[in-house]
Amino acid sequence: GVTVITTRDCDGNPRGMTANSFTSVSLDPPLLLVCVAKAAASFPAFNETRSFAVNFLHEGQVDVSSVFASKAADKFQSVNYDRAHTGAPILTDSLTWFDCTVHNRIEAGDHIILIGQVQAFGTSPSAPLGFCRGRYASVKDPLPAGWLASQDMIIGYLVEAGDRILLRTDGKGSWVLPTARRRKADSQLVLDGGEALTLVPENTFLYSVFDVADSDPGYLIYRAELSRESAEAALPDGHAFFSVDVLPYERVATHELRAMLRRYARERQDKRFGIYIDTGDGGRVAMIDGQSQSWTQAASE
């Protein structure tokens, strides 16, 4: 597959290049490696960075591949990108992306080997972009229709807008959380209906992981803050804001969701949030103290 690696230089400018060598290294901790030629224009940025991203392209991103394989002065001028955990650029709609901190940097002849520890990732069921014998190639039908949805956890968002929470109707008279087909970079939430909401990226955090029944794929819930423009815009059909103080608990679809919303209201009042993990003894909550900060700031302290 075609891989683009991205980072930011010492001035905060996005830098990137196609990589001809990518390998998974370890599962625990999750490590991967890429090789960067010392002759590459972006080498100084990758040689000094504390974080980088690996972006696998899908078959519709031939133009993106061409840009990053070129010697263009500003490769990001013609492509869309976002950020996730570390701040490294995540190419919009990539097939798969890994957001990494630098675990190790190894000299290897005319290259350096960057070993990254994965901090966040995203994926999609699109077909990958291949490159073979000097030309692009397409890999058809990478996954059966519906396979990803049947295997992945259900991704829900507890979306805040001031002192309000965004809920959606389940079509049966009850309220549930907004859900997304897949988790992408944290500045945008693409709902199951295709509508997009803009989030405040630095305020998106994992909040709860649980199962409702053994037959469920499981639930992965993020706490997020809606951007001002999305909060003031018309909501998608079937969605509504509710004040945290008067959430419609009696009309919330499941016991698990009601319990989570009550925990959220309590933690919000205390200004101290936790992460819930479902366990055999009823679940555990790991409390998180203090204000959020960027990874770069945290790593330098």
Side-chain angles (χ1 to χ4, degrees):
V2 178
T3 305
V4 172
I5 56 174
T6 54
T7 190
R8 292 186 182 274
D9 62 22
C10 59
D11 295 321
N13 301 311
R15 303 300 299 267
M17 57 182 286
T18 54
N20 56 15
S21 181
F22 165 87
T23 305
S24 61
V25 176
S26 167
L27 292 177
D28 186 16
L31 301 177
L32 54 78
L33 70 79
V34 293
C35 297
V36 182
K38 294 180 179 179
S42 298
F43 171 76
F46 284 101
N47 194 41
E48 298 173 0
T49 189
R50 293 183 177 182
S51 61
F52 64 94
V54 179
N55 305 266
F56 289 87
L57 304 186
H58 63 69
E59 62 181 355
Q61 292 181 301
V62 172
D63 55 339
V64 176
S65 174
S66 299
V67 167
F68 283 95
S70 72
K71 296 183 179 180
D74 186 359
K75 298 178 182 179
F76 288 85
Q77 185 176 10
S78 58
V79 299
N80 296 320
Y81 62 95
D82 219 310
R83 63 178 182 173
H85 183 85
T86 70
I90 304 295
L91 301 185
T92 303
D93 294 330
S94 295
L95 172 70
T96 299
W97 54 266
F98 297 98
D99 193 9
C100 307
T101 51
V102 174
H103 179 78
N104 201 356
R105 186 180 281 107
I106 302 171
E107 293 281 340
D110 58 2
H111 283 64
I112 60 166
I113 300 172
L114 278 182
I115 299 178
Q117 181 163 346
V118 178
Q119 303 295 332
F121 69 93
T123 190
S124 79
S126 303
L129 177 64
F131 191 82
C132 181
R133 296 181 179 178
R135 64 183 181 87
Y136 290 107
S138 178
V139 181
K140 298 297 183 182
D141 300 323
L143 294 175
W147 185 91
L148 194 66
S150 69
Q151 299 295 318
D152 278 0
M153 301 184 78
I154 297 169
I155 301 175
Y157 281 79
L158 206 166
V159 180
E160 310 166 356
D163 60 353
R164 302 174 298 167
I165 291 296
L166 182 65
L167 299 177
R168 70 172 177 86
T169 178
D170 65 355
K172 303 175 183 178
S174 297
W175 292 98
V176 295
L177 293 181
T179 55
R181 293 186 181 91
R182 58 192 173 102
R183 182 169 182 259
K184 299 178 67 176
D186 292 332
S187 65
Q188 190 179 62
L189 169 59
V190 180
L191 301 173
D192 280 341
E195 305 91 345
L197 300 176
T198 304
L199 305 177
V200 179
E202 58 267 28
N203 290 342
T204 302
F205 298 96
L206 181 65
Y207 189 65
S208 191
V209 182
F210 63 92
D211 296 317
V212 172
D214 291 340
S215 59
D216 281 340
Y219 291 79
L220 193 65
I221 307 299
Y222 288 89
R223 180 169 62 90
E225 180 182 348
L226 205 59
S227 69
R228 177 178 296 181
E229 56 265 32
S230 284
E232 295 175 351
L235 292 174
D237 290 342
H239 291 71
F241 283 120
F242 291 88
S243 170
V244 175
D245 296 330
V246 290
L247 288 172
Y249 294 113
E250 72 284 353
R251 294 179 59 196
V252 172
T254 66
H255 165 75
E256 290 79 8
L257 182 53
R258 287 194 294 273
M260 187 184 67
L261 288 172
R262 287 193 173 97
R263 175 171 72 90
Y264 166 80
R266 183 172 61 253
E267 291 178 347
R268 188 177 186 277
Q269 186 176 22
D270 295 340
K271 298 181 180 180
R272 184 169 179 256
F273 292 95
I275 298 176
Y276 172 86
I277 302 294
D278 195 10
T279 62
D281 60 357
R284 302 291 177 90
V285 176
M287 301 308 297
I288 301 174
D289 296 315
Q291 297 294 317
S292 66
Q293 57 183 321
S294 69
W295 170 257
T296 302
Q297 179 183 353
S300 64
E301 292 181 349

